[in-house]
Amino acid sequence: MSATGHDHPTPAALPALQGETLGALLDAGTRLLEAAGVAFGHGTTNARDEAAWLILWRLGLPLDTPITGDGAEDGTENGMENRPITPAELAQVATLFDARIRTRKPAAYLTHEAWLMGVPFYVDERAIVPRSFIAELLVDGSLDVFLSADTRQVLDLCTGNGSLAVLAALVWPDVAVTAADISPEALEVARINVAKHGLQERIRLQRSDGLAELPGPWDLILCNPPYVNAASMAQLPPEYRAEPALALAGGTDGMDFIRRLLADAPAHLRRHGVLVLEIGNERAHFEAAFPQLQPIWLDTSAGADQVLLLTRDALLAPPVIA
């Protein structure tokens, strides 16, 4: 059943994937994914982009290969839409589309590859597919103004596949990064990505339930925690249910992990330390749970209500009396 309670067509009830050129195959793949009713949000937001990703990956072509729909003029400036597709290639692509539709797994779990801010990462079912808006803030320098010249110890809590830890190490070559997660399976995936980017000397992996095994003190804590509230968890499409629930479910209001984190964080931060926290679409629940806090909301491509920043002083400030 879908998140809305409607049955999806089975692969057998869908038309066979066809296409003699790359452009025709893209058009057909887009229509097939739309007809199948798959959900997006794990690297793409629509059927056309997802179809392009699956096709180009399966054919071993660069994911930035210029490609439009069928009927466009061929040429290096206009793309590769007229590139012929052999029967063997069509069969390979069709098998991948069938797996995407039949299993409802995110495409990243089928390709074992995800991209965040242009950086490639390995991923499988042991960790959620990376998609944090904190990545934008790391790469565009938005967080730099909140740090000092003495910032050296950075913690990526709930690291999952280690993508934020890797990005932090790449953008700040003078810091030491600890990537922590309660899941040993997720840390195994993170270890693959740390090695993939040659950062074994810069990133330490640590299993920890929250901050329990992470005394610090930390100059900066990055955290994209489980924050999905119970009602939303119950409505998640199958693609999201294919991910570890441990990394998503945040309790009745989505704030279970965050309550403990905010209570523990001051004792684990340096005097001028900061916490950067992603809460997705849970701002209303966050403000209801922590009315005394006055966070700094950070601008991302999704707006200014997805990621917040709290200084140690703000976490320790007494409640405002109206």
Side-chain angles (χ1 to χ4, degrees):
M1 299 292 285
S2 72
T4 56
H6 298 297
D7 288 322
H8 292 303
T10 64
L14 295 168
L17 186 65
Q18 299 291 339
E20 296 182 353
T21 66
L22 194 56
L25 187 57
L26 174 60
D27 286 342
T30 300
R31 292 192 296 268
L32 182 58
L33 293 179
E34 289 174 342
V38 300
F40 309 108
H42 294 88
T44 65
T45 60
N46 58 78
R48 193 169 193 82
D49 287 347
E50 184 111 345
W53 179 13
L54 293 171
I55 292 167
L56 293 172
W57 180 84
R58 183 69 282 173
L59 296 180
L61 296 171
L63 296 187
D64 60 355
T65 296
I67 173 175
T68 59
D70 194 28
E73 294 182 1
D74 195 16
T76 56
E77 292 184 356
N78 293 322
M80 294 178 61
E81 47 276 341
N82 288 339
R83 176 195 181 280
I85 298 296
T86 69
E89 288 176 330
L90 178 61
Q92 291 177 330
V93 173
T95 297
L96 182 59
F97 270 74
D98 176 75
R100 175 68 178 90
I101 293 167
R102 176 173 43 81
T103 69
R104 300 284 154 166
K105 290 181 179 180
Y109 284 163
L110 301 176
T111 66
H112 296 307
E113 186 174 70
W115 294 74
L116 201 57
M117 300 307 295
V119 179
F121 294 98
Y122 174 85
V123 70
D124 62 32
E125 289 87 341
R126 292 173 291 178
I128 64 171
V129 178
R131 49 185 181 274
S132 174
F133 291 109
I134 293 176
E136 299 178 4
L137 305 173
L138 288 170
V139 173
D140 69 15
S142 295
L143 299 181
D144 293 5
V145 67
F146 299 101
L147 309 180
S148 75
D150 297 325
T151 297
R152 290 292 181 271
Q153 297 295 326
V154 174
L155 170 63
D156 176 24
L157 184 60
C158 306
T159 193
N161 83 328
S163 52
L164 292 183
V166 167
L167 289 176
L170 292 176
V171 301
W172 295 317
D174 296 329
V175 307
V177 181
T178 295
D181 205 288
I182 191 174
S183 166
E185 292 80 13
L187 288 173
E188 290 171 0
V189 180
R191 183 170 289 105
I192 294 171
N193 284 310
V194 170
K196 178 183 180 73
H197 293 281
L199 294 168
Q200 298 94 321
E201 301 301 316
R202 300 267 320 282
I203 298 177
R204 179 175 69 96
L205 298 170
Q206 174 69 52
R207 187 184 182 209
S208 182
D209 182 359
L211 292 170
E213 304 298 326
L214 302 163
W218 306 100
D219 298 302
L220 170 65
I221 298 175
L222 306 171
C223 186
N224 182 19
Y227 56 67
V228 182
N229 69 70
S232 295
M233 283 294 296
Q235 295 296 317
L236 286 179
E239 284 81 354
Y240 290 85
R241 295 202 297 272
E243 298 181 290
L246 181 68
L248 297 173
T252 301
D253 64 352
M255 296 295 116
D256 283 3
F257 181 92
I258 295 171
R259 284 186 178 86
R260 184 156 56 98
L261 172 62
L262 298 191
D264 294 344
H268 294 73
L269 286 167
R270 292 192 190 277
R271 181 181 175 189
H272 298 295
V274 296
L275 166 66
V276 175
L277 180 66
E278 184 157 340
I279 60 165
N281 297 314
E282 303 289 345
R283 179 168 179 170
H285 283 135
F286 178 88
E287 292 179 335
F290 311 105
Q292 78 282 8
L293 292 179
Q294 297 186 3
I296 299 169
W297 294 93
L298 303 174
D299 287 321
T300 72
S301 60
D305 57 2
Q306 302 274 321
V307 181
L308 60 94
L309 181 145
L310 288 160
T311 65
R312 181 175 182 272
D313 288 343
L315 287 165
L316 290 171
V320 177
I321 305 300

